[in-house]
């Protein structure tokens, strides 16, 4: 791999990372452009998949994905959907939260970047879905820290994509809608360019909608057509069927009709799916897509006709039926001149360059918005004069441009009340209990009659997702403030180091052996899927390759690896 280390000088570079649901990427900015850094297999996309083999060795990316085809109980994926929650994933007899699994992906990307650049990588700008709440954003930041990265900034994916497309270099004032359909999440953001300010006007989305759902549609259709129930399938059989469905989905890029072939317990099952049929099967998913689009337009107070350009981001937008839907919905052809899979990582790298104030990057002010409303819990007076607690008072409304500072005044509700507790909440429900509790702040008051003492509550929110809460007693001027960092998933550096020590029993697969291991796993999977002479032939190829590995001769192994890879690809594409 080419080294980017300057002779005699070690330069610490900030990289940009797209930590995706399905795939993750890392990029850097050098000279006058952003560039994707290839992983240890020489590819741009690293599947967001983690596995642990029987020897307690961590497998990440494509190797883990291939291993999971044979051992579905020892692999996990799509864990980004539960980032910031307490959900635990079991791999063998080990348990992880999504934050820790993401740290393993980030650690792998960091190692790839260091190998490629020939220098230490200790800092990163990491992207998150625009619709990630405070808890999810902080969990992402902690995942980076667990991986040994100083996370300089969390940037919203649509904003990163807008930067990658060079929207900030447009000469006239323009409104853009970024349509981001990734593997597991969907975001729609409306941005407006004014001089050198790129302003996010509104965001909306669905954390449980993405390309994986379009694959799931094909799985359900196949099972229906072949009279196989989902309950009949073992985890391994479902994994293999998912692989077939994923390949069929990709096939729509080249053909109007795709054929799904799957051998179910010795019997070959075949189902043809046309583009028209697939489009109808996905109608419910398209309805789910419309909702965030309509919400973002409403929050931005604009109409569809006011959008000057639609920008595509995320692998899901490569599907022909999705592009057709977008063209019909917006009545214009979308912009996709940058690979949708890579736009966010490239934008994050440019943002990192902006932070480093590199001369090649035009200085631009990036504004963002609050994805969710921030407020506090209050009591509301009822008709009988009694007070009912548990109501939500918005202080900073969703899609308010940040940085921002808003103040609301609250009053005592009973005589001689000596304190007020400010519960800091995030969400859209009118009931406090349904919103996310970020933290709390308590302030003391002088005794007085009900309603005679008041507290001004000020929320100040910045682009780094830091929320400052200040409470000021109006009568005395006494102030109390705090920076809300959240209680959940908040680890000190000492706790992070301790957790990494706990994980040290796991061995990481060496970089130089990664491609060999992946190739053997691919061969094993194809061997299991084959029958007859084809299976015998694959077995011979694998045994021959293993003999070459035993020689320990690097040149012999490289030649053998190229030969086996070529044979397997030819057979799989036959």
């Amino acid at each position: 791999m080419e080294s980017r280390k300057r002779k005699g000088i070690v330069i610490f570079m900030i990289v940009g990372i797209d930590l995706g649901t399905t795939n993750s990427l890392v990029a850097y900015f050098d000279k006058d452009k952003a560039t994707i850094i290839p992983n240890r297999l020489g590819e741009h996309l690293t599947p967001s998949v983690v596995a642990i083999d029987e020897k307690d060795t961590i497998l990440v990316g494509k190797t883990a994905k291939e291993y999971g085809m044979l051992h579905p109980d020892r692999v996990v994926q799509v864990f980004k959907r539960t980032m910031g929650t307490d959900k635990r994933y079991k791999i063998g007899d080990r348990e992880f939260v999504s934050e820790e699994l993401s740290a393993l992906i980030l650690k792998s990307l960091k190692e790839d970047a260091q190998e490629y650049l020939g220098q230490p990588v200790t800092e990163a700008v990491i992207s998150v879905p625009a619709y990630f709440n405070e808890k999810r954003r902080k969990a992402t930041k902690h995942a980076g820290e667990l991986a040994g990265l100083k996370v300089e900034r969390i940037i919203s994916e649509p904003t990163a994509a807008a930067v990658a497309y060079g929207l900030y270099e447009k000469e006239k004032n323009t409104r853009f809608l970024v349509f981001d359909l990734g593997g597991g999440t969907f975001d729609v953001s409306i941005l407006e360019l004014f001089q050198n300010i790129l302003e996010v006007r509104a965001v909306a989305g669905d954390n449980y909608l993405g390309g994986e759902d379009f694959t799931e549609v094909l799985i359900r259709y196949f099972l229906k057509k072949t009279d196989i129930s989902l309950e009949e399938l073992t985890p391994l059989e479902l994994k293999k069927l998912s692989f077939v469905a994923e390949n069929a989905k990709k096939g729509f890029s080249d053909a109007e009709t795709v054929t799904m072939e799957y051998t179910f317990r010795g019997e070959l099952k075949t189902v043809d799916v046309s583009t028209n049929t697939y489009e109808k099967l996905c109608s419910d998913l398209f309805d789910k897509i419309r909702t965030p689009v309509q919400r973002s337009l409403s929050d931005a107070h604009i109409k569809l006709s006011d959008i000057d350009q639609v920008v595509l981001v995320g692998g899901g937008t490569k599907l022909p039926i999705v592009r057709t839907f977008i063209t019909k919905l917006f009545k214009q052809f979308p912009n996709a001149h940058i690979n949708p899979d890579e736009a966010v990582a490239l934008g994050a790298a440019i943002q990192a360059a902006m932070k480093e104030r590199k001369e090649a990057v035009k200085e631009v002010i990036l504004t963002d918005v609050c994805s969710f409303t921030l407020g506090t819990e209050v009591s509301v007076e009822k008709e009988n004069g009694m007070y009912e607690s548990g109501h939500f008072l918005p202080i900073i409304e969703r899609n308010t441009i940040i940085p921002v500072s808003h103040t609301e005044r609250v009053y005592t509700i009973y005589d001689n009340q000596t304190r007020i507790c400010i519960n800091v909440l995030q969400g859209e429900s009118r009931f406090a209990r349904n919103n996310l509790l970020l933290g709390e702040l308590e302030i003391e008051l002088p005794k007085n009659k009900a309603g005679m003492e008041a507290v001004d509550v000020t929320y100040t929110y910045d682009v780094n997702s830091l929320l400052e809460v200040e409470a000021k007693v109006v009568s005395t001027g006494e102030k109390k403030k705090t920076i809300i960092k959240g209680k959940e998933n908040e680890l000190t550096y000492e706790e992070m180091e301790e957790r990494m020590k706990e994980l040290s029993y796991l061995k990481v697969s060496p970089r130089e052996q990664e491609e060999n291991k992946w190739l053997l796993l691919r061969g094993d999977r194809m061997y299991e899927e084959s029958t007859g002479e084809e299976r015998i032939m694959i077995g011979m190829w694998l045994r021959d390759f293993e003999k070459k590995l035993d020689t320990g001769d690097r040149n012999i192994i490289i030649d053998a690896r190229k030969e086996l890879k070529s044979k397997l690809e030819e057979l799989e594409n036959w």
Side-chain angles (χ1 to χ4, degrees):
M1 250 178 213
E2 183 182 357
S3 173
R4 301 291 175 180
K5 184 175 181 179
R6 297 182 187 175
K7 191 174 181 180
I9 304 174
V10 176
I11 303 165
F12 292 87
M13 182 178 290
I14 305 177
V15 295
I17 295 177
D18 175 8
L19 181 61
T21 307
T22 305
N23 295 296
S24 295
L25 306 87
V26 57
Y28 78 112
F29 192 94
D30 188 33
K31 295 178 182 176
D32 61 350
K33 67 175 183 177
T35 303
I36 300 294
I37 297 173
N39 62 22
R40 58 203 65 188
L41 297 179
E43 299 175 351
H44 285 190
L45 301 180
T46 296
S48 300
V49 183
V50 176
I52 301 177
D53 68 14
E54 298 86 345
K55 297 179 181 179
D56 266 353
T57 299
I58 296 174
L59 305 176
V60 170
K62 197 171 182 179
T63 308
K65 190 173 183 179
E66 197 67 65
Y67 182 80
M69 294 293 296
L70 301 172
H71 308 278
D73 61 322
R74 300 189 70 90
V75 65
V76 291
Q77 52 195 342
V78 199
F79 41 81
K80 178 180 171 180
R81 283 180 165 178
T82 60
M83 182 71 84
T85 72
D86 295 328
K87 179 174 173 58
R88 305 192 74 82
Y89 294 86
K90 193 168 185 180
I91 310 179
D93 57 353
R94 315 290 186 186
E95 284 192 349
F96 302 85
V97 293
S98 57
E99 191 174 329
E100 294 165 341
L101 295 168
S102 297
L104 296 174
I105 299 292
L106 291 169
K107 189 171 186 291
S108 177
L109 295 174
K110 174 189 171 184
E111 291 171 356
D112 290 336
Q114 289 181 153
E115 177 72 15
Y116 182 77
L117 297 170
Q119 64 187 59
V121 172
T122 58
E123 301 181 23
V125 171
I126 302 179
S127 66
V128 295
Y131 215 55
F132 257 25
N133 63 21
E134 192 71 8
K135 194 173 174 183
R136 292 172 183 270
R137 287 171 185 256
K138 291 189 185 303
T140 303
K141 186 173 186 292
H142 293 148
E145 291 165 348
L146 279 169
L149 290 166
K150 179 182 178 184
V151 183
E152 282 296 317
R153 183 173 177 186
I154 295 292
I155 184 173
S156 293
E157 289 169 4
T159 305
V163 171
Y165 271 91
L167 302 186
Y168 61 89
E169 294 179 348
K170 301 289 182 181
E171 294 181 0
K172 61 180 181 179
N173 298 341
T174 319
R175 284 198 186 100
F176 306 92
L177 186 142
V178 179
F179 188 100
D180 184 356
L181 184 65
T185 59
F186 172 58
D187 279 336
V188 56
S189 298
I190 296 172
L191 300 96
E192 187 165 2
L193 176 70
F194 179 74
Q195 295 178 353
N196 70 326
I197 300 175
L198 184 61
E199 180 181 290
V200 180
R201 291 283 305 277
V203 298
D206 189 331
N207 287 330
Y208 296 91
L209 174 63
E212 300 282 345
D213 298 287
F214 285 83
T215 305
E216 184 68 27
V217 165
L218 289 172
I219 294 173
R220 291 199 302 268
Y221 183 70
F222 183 89
L223 293 176
K224 180 180 178 182
K225 284 292 184 180
T226 55
D227 293 322
I228 301 173
S229 69
L230 186 62
E231 291 72 23
E232 288 181 72
L233 299 177
T234 65
L236 182 57
E237 288 170 335
L238 179 59
K239 200 79 177 175
K240 290 181 177 179
L241 179 56
S242 299
F243 181 76
V244 170
E246 182 67 26
N247 283 339
K249 184 178 74 174
K250 293 176 181 176
F252 281 111
S253 297
D254 303 312
E256 285 292 316
T257 299
V258 299
T259 301
M260 297 175 66
E261 291 185 345
Y262 175 66
T263 302
F264 180 66
R265 298 174 189 176
E267 183 181 352
L268 179 64
K269 304 282 188 177
T270 303
V271 174
D272 292 332
V273 190
S274 68
T275 298
N276 288 338
T277 298
Y278 189 34
E279 194 170 12
K280 291 175 183 175
L281 291 170
C282 294
S283 60
D284 287 345
L285 295 179
F286 291 134
D287 287 340
K288 290 181 71 176
I289 286 174
R290 281 191 181 90
T291 301
V293 170
Q294 292 165 348
R295 181 174 178 178
S296 65
L297 291 168
S298 174
D299 286 354
H301 305 293
I302 62 174
K303 304 186 293 294
L304 268 177
S305 57
D306 295 325
I307 299 297
D308 298 305
Q309 191 175 32
V310 177
V311 173
L312 300 187
V313 181
T317 62
K318 293 192 287 188
L319 259 176
I321 60 169
V322 171
R323 293 203 175 182
T324 299
F325 169 77
I326 293 168
T327 302
K328 290 178 180 177
L329 179 63
F330 295 102
K331 296 180 174 59
Q332 61 173 284
F333 289 103
N335 185 342
H337 74 267
I338 293 180
N339 186 335
D341 282 324
E342 300 179 357
V344 170
L346 293 172
I350 295 171
Q351 174 63 34
M354 288 178 183
K355 190 178 186 308
E356 292 180 305
R357 297 192 177 278
K358 294 197 173 181
E359 292 181 6
V361 182
K362 179 180 176 182
E363 192 64 32
V364 62
I365 300 170
L366 298 177
T367 74
D368 212 331
V369 294
C370 261
S371 303
F372 295 83
T373 299
L374 295 165
T376 189
E377 180 177 357
V378 294
S379 297
V380 175
E381 188 174 8
K382 302 178 73 175
E383 291 182 0
N384 59 7
M386 301 293 288
Y387 284 89
E388 182 179 74
S389 62
H391 289 262
F392 182 58
L393 172 67
I395 295 178
I396 297 177
E397 296 278 4
R398 74 167 186 268
N399 284 322
T400 298
I401 296 169
I402 55 177
V404 64
S405 184
H406 280 179
T407 301
E408 289 287 341
R409 181 168 291 184
V410 295
Y411 296 86
T412 55
I413 59 172
Y414 55 86
D415 293 343
N416 298 321
Q417 185 173 337
T418 58
R419 61 181 181 176
I420 282 182
C421 181
I422 310 298
N423 287 332
V424 184
L425 303 168
Q426 183 182 56
E428 307 305 327
S429 175
R430 61 194 179 93
F431 296 111
R433 66 177 180 274
N434 297 331
N435 294 323
L436 176 66
L437 177 64
L438 299 179
E440 57 185 32
L441 175 66
E442 195 172 275
I443 191 165
E444 294 186 356
L445 309 163
K447 290 182 179 181
N448 209 332
K449 291 184 178 180
M452 298 303 292
E453 290 295 330
V455 173
D456 282 340
V457 182
T458 302
Y459 283 12
T460 303
Y461 195 62
D462 74 5
V463 292
N464 290 313
S465 299
L466 285 177
L467 174 63
E468 180 187 84
V469 177
E470 179 186 271
K472 176 184 176 183
V473 180
V474 176
S475 65
T476 65
E478 182 185 350
K479 294 180 181 178
K480 197 169 182 182
K481 66 171 64 176
T482 184
I483 301 292
I484 298 296
K485 295 181 179 179
K487 296 179 180 177
E488 298 85 354
N489 300 304
E490 190 72 27
L491 299 175
T492 64
Y493 282 104
E494 292 76 17
E495 289 170 332
M496 289 179 195
E497 288 179 5
E498 184 62 31
R499 179 52 179 157
M500 291 312 289
K501 285 179 183 177
E502 290 174 14
L503 299 178
S504 64
Y505 61 80
L506 298 168
K507 301 181 289 293
V508 178
S509 180
R511 288 182 53 85
E512 63 273 10
Q513 298 177 14
E514 184 92 7
E515 191 163 5
N516 299 333
K517 190 174 186 69
W518 165 71
L519 206 54
L520 285 170
L521 287 168
R522 183 182 185 184
D524 287 340
R525 188 253 305 162
M526 290 177 64
Y527 178 88
E528 289 196 10
E529 293 174 352
S530 304
T531 56
E533 293 183 3
E534 193 175 274
R535 169 176 279 195
I536 294 172
M537 183 169 58
I538 294 173
M540 290 172 57
W541 293 345
L542 294 176
R543 286 192 296 275
D544 182 61
F545 182 56
E546 287 168 336
K547 287 179 183 177
K548 301 288 176 58
L549 290 177
D550 290 338
T551 67
D553 189 308
R554 185 171 181 271
N555 292 327
I556 291 176
I557 292 171
I558 289 174
D559 290 340
R561 184 167 64 222
K562 288 180 181 177
E563 183 181 0
L564 177 58
K565 186 176 181 180
S566 176
K567 287 178 177 178
L568 292 178
E569 285 179 350
E570 184 178 351
L571 183 62
E572 197 160 36
N573 295 326
W574 181 75

